[in-house]
Structures are given as C-alpha cells and as structure tokens.
Amino acid sequence: MEVTVLPEVTWLGVVIKAVIILAIISAIAGFGTYLERKVLAFMQRRLGPMHVGPYGLLQILADGIKLFTKEDIVPQNANKLIFQVAPAITAATAFIALSAVPVFPDFTIPEFIPLLGGTFVPSMAADLNIGVLFILGMMAAGLYGPLLAGMAQANKWGILGSARTAIQFLSYEVVTGLSILAPIMLVGSLSLIEFNDYQAGGIGSWMMWQQPVALILFLIAGFAETNRTPFDLLEHEAEVVSGYATEYSGMRWGMFFIGEYANMITISVLAAVIFAGGYNDLGFLAGWFVIILKIAFFFFLMLWVRAAWPHVRPDQLMWLCWKVLMPIAVINVVITGFVMMA
Amino acid sequence: MTHVITEHPYFGVFFLFALTAIAFPATLAAARFVSRKLARLDTQKLKLSIYECGPEVTKQPNVISAQFYLIALLFILFDVEIIFMFPWAIDFKLLGWFGFAEMILFILLLAIGFVYAWKKGALEWHSIR
C-alpha cells in the first residue's frame, strides 16, 4: 500500500490562507454584483451597466465610492450600538463559514519570494473533521445579522423583514440538514475532503447521480438560506419596502450584500464539492480548473433562477418547506438507508 | 486534495474570526469617517426619522405575529432531531441493521409529532382577521 505523506501546515500558511479568503472573496462578492446585473440584463435583452469603464467593468469601483461617501444615517429611536454592529455580523459570519470551505486548491509559495517562500498554503484555512456541520452552523449564525438589524431600527418594515428572515432561515435550516444527511451516510464523514475523495472515480462517481433528490433539496434550501429570488421575501420591495435593510444607507447597507454574496459562494462551493465531484480531475481538465467551472455554474444558476422565477408568498414558503421538502428529505434518508443495507 | 497535519485545526477559524471582527467594523468606521467629511449634512430633524409615508412618526413597538414564534418552536423540535441524526449517519455502516431500526423508530416518533402539528394547523399561515 502506498503511504502518502500529509503536508504539514504552519500557522503562517493558515494566516496567508485566511487573508487570501478575505481579500479574494470580498473582491468576488463585489464582482458578483456586476455579474448579476450583467446576466440579468442579457436575459432581459438589455445591456446592463455599460458607461463606467469598458463594458461597465469599473461599475463596482463607482459603486464602492458611492457607498463610502454616502451619509451614514442612524435613525432616531434606533438602538444605536446594535444597529451599527449588525451589518458587520452578517459579513463576518459569512467569512468565518468560508474558513472550512475549500475555496481554492492548495499550493506552495515559490521559493524565490522573500519571507514567505516555501510556505504551504492549505486548501482550507481550517481542516475540520466536522466541516459540513461547522459551515451550516456558521451560516445559521449569520441569521443574527438581519434579525438584529430589523429589531434595532424600530421600524415596522424592518421588524417584518427580520421576522421573515427568522422563519425562512430556521425552516430551511431543517431541510438543508436533512438533505445533506443522505450523502453523509454514503460517505461516512462530515469532512469535505472525504466527500471529495469519495467521488474520485470520474464523472460516473459523482454524488448527484446517487442522490439526485438530495441535490435538488440542497439547492432549494440553499437558495432560501442565501435569500435568492424565489425566496427573497425579506427584502421584497412590493411588500416590506426593503425588509431588514430599510433604514440602512451607505457602507452598512453594502456590508449586508458582501455577506449575502459570500454565502452564495459558500453554497456554490458546497454543492460543487458534495454533489458534483469536487476537485477531482475531469478527463484532461485539471482539478483546479474544473472546480472553478463548477462553482461558476452553480453561481450562474442562482442568477438564472432569479431571471426566470417569480417570488413565492410567505405561506407558500412555509408550505413548501414543512409539507413538501421536509417529508421528501426524511423519506430520502430512509430509502438511502434501505438501499445501503440491502 | 488531501488532509493536512495541523497542530490546532481550529486556528484558522479563530484567525478568520479575529480578522473579520477587526476588518469589517474598521471598514464601517472608515466609511463613517469619510462620509462625515464628504457627504452633505443637513440638520433637519425629519431626516433622521424612520421611513414612513409622511406623518411624523412615534416610536413603534417591536411586535410581531405569534405565528412566527410557533414556527420557531417547530424549528427547535425538528432541528434538534437532525442534530441527533448526524452522528448516526456518520456511523451508519458500523451500526448496521440495529442502528437503522432504532433510527426508523426515532423518525416514526417524530412523524407522530409532525402529523399532530400538521393537524393542529401549526404549519398553516393564519391571516389576521
């Protein structure tokens, strides 16, 4: 049997990885807003942002300047401390969840770079044996951002938005957990690396062929947890103005969106690693390239659905979660158990 | 992608926690500083009032429908169930038929509670009359 030598990670490697996560995912989150506007525009036969820079590419920069220089308003009657801290909670929890997500492949910094040369940078900042559970838990903790934001501003739209946030997150948390149970039974581990290794046998060994129901449930629940369009009731303009973000302006408002886009990336990576083969090479394509394609596909899927689907009503949301998805998820777990035992 | 040897696997979590806990509030503080310098500041009282359709606002109470609390209770019931199922799912092959039968019993017990909640109308969305 071949013995593989596991690479050793120093604290420096972890620190570099954490800084990479924070810097690059923030940038991608900003770029994601541009992509979303562009994709939506093309699907509606418009051009989208075109004026700032070539093809509107500098639109993110212009938006950033706008967000930074807008007056920062804290409404009267608001609980000032909680109101000011809540956006940072949303963004921070989203990025802490990313610490256990293998966002980029591991690599070693070339020797010729001074000080950092030769440092091994792992694929995830924290190689946890409870990976999936930690990520879901951290994303659930992100609920506190919108919840506190809505409660602190003493505005009825904010309160309605935060109440909707709470029931949506809590309900779909159940479906996310149950949908991921069946793959966990097959793999026998919570670590994302084990999930990745389980699907090493080419496209036929991908989890999505064995667990198609789980993939669909996970994607639906993921859309709900990241407030994507069929379920974006918390900031549904026609009903609750802007939901929990009604009173927010400038960078505080932008921080909610950094958190939301970081969560979208987390869900995309989870779907790619758990269900779509992860980092394994696909034919002649290298693993690092394949994973980028997969993540980009799942990210694009979220924008696609936004262009194609209408909102649901809150009662439909609850109906879908508790009376449809949850029984299906439980039945899926039981059937998986029977098939594995037989 | 392989596992790595680390002395403290949770160091990455802690470091990102510390980093984000400093970086994001610092960004907010910087934005506040910049906007204080640049943005036009009017000292109208109504500007700081909350979003409303015209009338002068009073402080609104944080009151939401009891339906939301009911859903939160259901969440506690079913999400704790799922937390119990995670360790079982990991050792599924090890536990074999015995563990599987136990879990089906557990799911049946919860299904009884689920049916009860359904029949009681806890999953319906009651409109305010």
Side-chain angles (χ1 to χ4, degrees), chain A residues 17-304:
Chain A
K17 182 70 187 179
V19 173
I20 287 177
I21 288 177
L22 189 62
I24 294 190
I25 300 290
S26 306
I28 294 179
F31 193 63
T33 59
Y34 168 78
L35 275 182
E36 173 154 17
R37 290 161 74 173
K38 215 57 176 169
V39 168
L40 280 180
F42 283 137
M43 288 194 180
Q44 295 161 355
R45 303 195 62 165
R46 295 184 284 119
L47 284 175
M50 284 297 280
H51 288 289
V52 194
Y55 298 100
L57 268 170
L58 296 177
Q59 185 70 42
I60 324 154
L61 205 66
D63 284 346
I65 292 170
K66 187 197 82 173
L67 287 178
F68 244 82
T69 51
K70 262 196 165 185
E71 190 185 352
D72 183 30
I73 288 180
V74 180
Q76 64 190 30
N77 295 338
N79 188 330
K80 293 208 165 42
L81 177 68
I82 297 177
F83 183 87
Q84 292 181 343
V85 163
I89 293 178
T90 314
T93 47
F95 279 89
I96 298 167
L98 273 165
S99 69
V101 177
V103 195
F104 310 104
D106 45 12
F107 64 96
T108 308
I109 296 178
E111 290 286 349
F112 58 81
I113 294 171
L115 293 174
L116 304 175
T119 313
F120 177 77
V121 180
S123 58
M124 45 176 109
D127 179 13
L128 307 178
N129 50 2
I130 56 157
V132 179
L133 207 55
F134 174 81
I135 295 162
L136 293 183
M138 225 45 233
M139 286 182 69
L143 160 66
Y144 281 110
L147 186 65
L148 292 177
M151 301 289 273
Q153 56 191 252
N155 177 341
K156 58 190 164 204
W157 311 114
I159 292 159
L160 277 176
S162 67
R164 283 181 172 198
T165 317
I167 52 164
Q168 182 171 326
F169 271 56
L170 295 184
S171 305
Y172 280 87
E173 191 66 25
V174 176
V175 179
T176 324
L178 275 172
S179 71
I180 252 175
L181 260 181
I184 288 171
M185 284 160 70
L186 285 170
V187 175
S189 170
L190 284 168
S191 168
L192 283 173
I193 292 176
E194 305 288 332
F195 275 100
N196 182 59
D197 293 346
Y198 181 83
Q199 308 170 77
I203 200 166
S205 68
W206 286 7
M207 188 68 85
M208 62 163 82
W209 312 126
Q210 296 181 43
Q211 292 289 344
V213 181
L215 172 65
I216 293 166
L217 290 174
F218 180 77
L219 282 181
I220 294 175
F223 277 42
E225 286 202 28
T226 48
N227 319 331
R228 295 310 298 171
T229 277
F231 311 109
D232 65 342
L233 302 166
L234 0 162
E235 36 191 304
H236 192 183
E237 294 86 0
E239 290 170 10
V240 286
V241 187
S242 202
Y244 61 84
T246 303
E247 296 293 349
Y248 280 89
S249 65
M251 202 57 212
R252 285 187 208 286
W253 180 83
M255 204 134 279
F256 281 119
F257 283 80
I258 293 176
E260 184 180 323
Y261 279 83
N263 275 333
M264 279 167 70
I265 294 167
T266 311
I267 289 288
S268 304
V269 180
L270 278 185
V273 173
I274 295 177
F275 292 100
Y279 282 73
N280 300 300
D281 296 350
L282 187 67
F284 60 91
L285 292 173
W288 65 268
F289 184 67
V290 174
I291 191 77
I292 290 174
L293 284 184
K294 287 168 189 165
I295 294 171
F297 171 76
F298 283 111
F299 197 87
F300 174 71
L301 189 68
M302 293 185 171
L303 310 184
W304 190 3

Side-chain angles (χ1 to χ4, degrees), chain B residues 17 20 44 49 68 74-75 92 100 108 120:
Chain B
F17 176 74
T20 51
Q44 291 179 0
S49 70
F68 291 106
L74 284 174
F75 162 76
F92 180 75
F100 190 43
L108 280 180
K120 274 280 179 186

Side-chain angles (χ1 to χ4, degrees), chain A residues 7 9 70-72 75-77 96 99 126-127 151 156 159 170 174 184 186 194 247 322-323 341, chain B residues 3-5 9 16 32 35 40-41 47-48 50-52 60 62 64 75 82 86 93 96 114 124:
Chain A
V9 176
K70 262 196 165 185
E71 190 185 352
D72 183 30
Q76 64 190 30
N77 295 338
I96 298 167
S99 69
D127 179 13
M151 301 289 273
K156 58 190 164 204
I159 292 159
L170 295 184
V174 176
I184 288 171
L186 285 170
E194 305 288 332
E247 296 293 349
W322 291 102
K323 293 190 178 175
M341 276 299 166
Chain B
H3 280 292
V4 291
I5 301 171
L16 253 174
R32 192 171 173 79
S35 66
R40 205 176 125 210
L41 297 173
K47 190 176 176 182
L48 289 181
I50 58 173
Y51 176 80
E52 194 41 271
Q60 292 168 351
N62 279 359
I64 54 174
F75 162 76
I82 291 161
F86 268 102
K93 287 167 192 161
F114 181 66
E124 312 289 331

Side-chain angles (χ1 to χ4, degrees), chain B residues 31-126:
Chain B
R32 192 171 173 79
F33 178 76
V34 170
S35 66
R36 281 270 168 94
K37 292 281 175 210
L38 291 180
R40 205 176 125 210
L41 297 173
D42 290 333
T43 46
Q44 291 179 0
K45 191 187 160 210
L46 271 179
K47 190 176 176 182
L48 289 181
S49 70
I50 58 173
Y51 176 80
E52 194 41 271
C53 311
E56 255 185 73
V57 289
T58 50
K59 192 176 167 77
Q60 292 168 351
N62 279 359
V63 177
I64 54 174
S65 162
Q67 180 72 24
F68 291 106
Y69 293 95
L70 202 57
I71 298 282
L73 281 177
L74 284 174
F75 162 76
I76 292 172
L77 180 65
F78 289 105
D79 208 49
V80 168
E81 162 205 3
I82 291 161
I83 290 300
F84 281 133
M85 287 168 85
F86 268 102
W88 164 78
I90 293 169
D91 280 342
F92 180 75
K93 287 167 192 161
L94 200 73
L95 293 170
W97 275 113
F98 176 71
F100 190 43
E102 292 262 309
M103 187 45 71
I104 286 186
L105 211 64
F106 182 62
I107 289 174
L108 280 180
L109 282 176
L110 270 147
I112 295 171
F114 181 66
V115 170
Y116 176 75
W118 190 324
K119 290 277 178 244
K120 274 280 179 186
L123 307 175
E124 312 289 331
W125 199 261
H126 302 287

